Amino acid sequence: PTAQQKTFQPDTRAKLPSQTGALTAPAAAAPTGSVVTVHPGESIQDAIDKNKNTNNPVILTKGIHTIKEPLKIQSGITLAGEGKETILFLSPGSRETTIINASSDLHDVTIRDLLIEGAIKTVENEDPNHDRRTRSYMSAPSREGILFAADKANQMKNIRFENLTVQNCTKNGVAIKGASGIKIINCDFSDNGSSVVPGAGLHHNLLLLHVSDCEIRNSRFDTSPWGSGIDLSFGKNVIITGNEAARNTLSGIRCTESENVHITGNLIEGNNRDGISLDTLLDGSKGIETDNNLLQLNGQPR
């Protein structure tokens, strides 16, 4: 079934780029303790490996940090930037994911105050729609923002994204598979999810699979070329509140085979398929609450 759709006027729930994702300056207070600073051209991976399980913040300074292979995030790490001018960029032709987990039992990780660029260049074409059309093709390079994947449900624990921007990935912007204790706060995961292998409709701005105790708040999940804003499968105890999921080719929020999911106070508009889609693959979902969401202009292909 599809959640009932009503038409209202836009309200203050619309999330602006200036209010979500990586901001001009870091949103969090300056860290204390043993801070490790990494400048463009220096090895981020070395800093992460040396500070595993120390909780020492690894701070990426402003500039373009180009990496040739995926960063492997260790447990007990805070990876932070200095705002939207800290750009993490996987070089063209490299392996397809920018950040992955170093171990299947990853725990106590924070990523904040930086921008992950999924395009093959960090400067937009004079016509940004040209770049977007190119990324929407099946033949586009396969590029993903963050993929944290465990071997089983709830194996990874305590993962936090805050004031993080992930944009222009042809695969998922962010995908988390098998984790509990997830917080996604004030983020912007937009324009991700194209038709590259394994195909259209299987990549999204945010993909959650076998997760529990998850909070998604005050974030944007917009303009996926072929996917949904948020795609949740086999989740438990999930709160999705105060977000914007707009102009995605599939649904704003899709939920299937999940339990105790609260979808409240979101702006969900202009999605081609549904505003909120509650699908059934096996047994369906139970304990799904939708309240005070503003849904409008959904189900109208562009």
Side-chain angles (χ1 to χ4, degrees):
T2 300
Q4 184 177 3
Q5 176 175 313
K6 297 181 180 179
T7 300
F8 298 90
Q9 294 298 316
D11 68 3
T12 56
R13 281 174 282 197
K15 302 296 177 185
L16 301 177
S18 60
Q19 300 170 344
T20 53
L23 307 179
T24 302
T32 59
S34 300
V35 177
V36 180
T37 302
V38 181
H39 298 274
E42 298 177 344
S43 175
I44 305 171
Q45 189 65 63
D46 284 351
I48 290 172
D49 292 343
K50 289 176 182 177
N51 289 276
K52 176 182 178 180
N53 289 322
T54 65
N55 292 317
N56 293 337
V58 176
I59 307 298
L60 309 185
T61 62
K62 293 180 180 180
I64 300 173
H65 295 258
T66 302
I67 56 176
K68 295 183 179 180
E69 58 185 20
L71 284 182
K72 298 178 181 178
I73 297 295
Q74 302 281 3
S75 296
I77 282 289
T78 292
L79 180 66
E82 295 182 330
K84 64 182 180 181
E85 293 183 53
T86 296
I87 300 173
L88 187 58
F89 177 63
L90 184 67
S91 62
S94 300
R95 292 176 60 187
E96 61 189 26
T97 306
T98 305
I99 295 179
I100 61 176
N101 50 307
S103 63
S104 57
D105 61 349
L106 184 75
H107 60 86
D108 299 301
V109 165
T110 297
I111 302 177
R112 60 173 174 82
D113 291 310
L114 58 86
L115 184 153
I116 297 175
E117 178 57 69
I120 59 172
K121 57 183 179 180
T122 58
V123 178
E124 279 189 344
N125 192 297
E126 291 183 1
D127 177 10
N129 288 324
H130 175 272
D131 291 340
R132 189 171 189 272
R133 285 193 299 271
T134 301
R135 287 192 298 272
S136 71
Y137 300 147
M138 184 179 293
S139 58
S142 292
R143 293 172 69 83
E144 192 161 27
I146 297 175
L147 172 60
F148 286 165
D151 297 325
K152 56 186 178 182
N154 302 322
Q155 189 175 13
M156 299 182 293
K157 300 183 185 300
N158 301 331
I159 297 170
R160 183 181 185 95
F161 302 133
E162 189 165 4
N163 288 101
L164 173 67
T165 296
V166 183
Q167 62 185 26
N168 302 330
C169 298
T170 53
K171 298 186 76 174
N172 297 296
V174 175
I176 305 176
K177 305 176 181 181
S180 64
I182 302 163
K183 290 188 181 296
I184 299 172
I185 311 296
N186 298 333
C187 290
D188 185 355
F189 304 160
S190 293
D191 210 13
N192 305 291
S194 187
S195 60
V196 298
V197 176
L202 298 175
H203 307 295
H204 311 279
N205 281 315
L206 174 62
L207 172 66
L208 300 171
L209 178 64
H210 291 289
V211 301
S212 65
D213 301 316
C214 175
E215 180 182 4
I216 306 167
R217 174 163 52 87
N218 295 341
S219 297
R220 298 175 78 236
F221 307 95
D222 295 349
T223 57
S224 174
W226 286 97
S228 295
I230 300 173
D231 190 276
L232 168 67
S233 298
F234 300 96
K236 185 175 182 180
N237 302 331
V238 179
I239 297 173
I240 303 173
T241 184
N243 303 286
E244 176 184 291
R247 302 175 301 282
N248 297 288
T249 294
L250 294 183
S251 300
I253 300 172
R254 175 181 175 268
C255 174
T256 185
E257 307 303 320
S258 297
E259 179 181 352
N260 193 24
V261 178
H262 302 273
I263 305 172
T264 61
N266 300 284
L267 173 63
I268 306 171
E269 66 178 4
N271 299 286
N272 284 20
R273 181 172 291 178
D274 303 309
I276 300 174
S277 176
L278 306 179
D279 285 347
T280 298
L281 300 178
L282 299 170
D283 300 322
S285 299
K286 59 183 179 180
I288 309 297
E289 175 189 4
T290 63
D291 182 59
N292 195 33
N293 298 291
L294 175 56
L295 294 95
Q296 61 181 8
L297 305 176
N298 298 294
Q300 301 181 28
R302 297 186 294 275

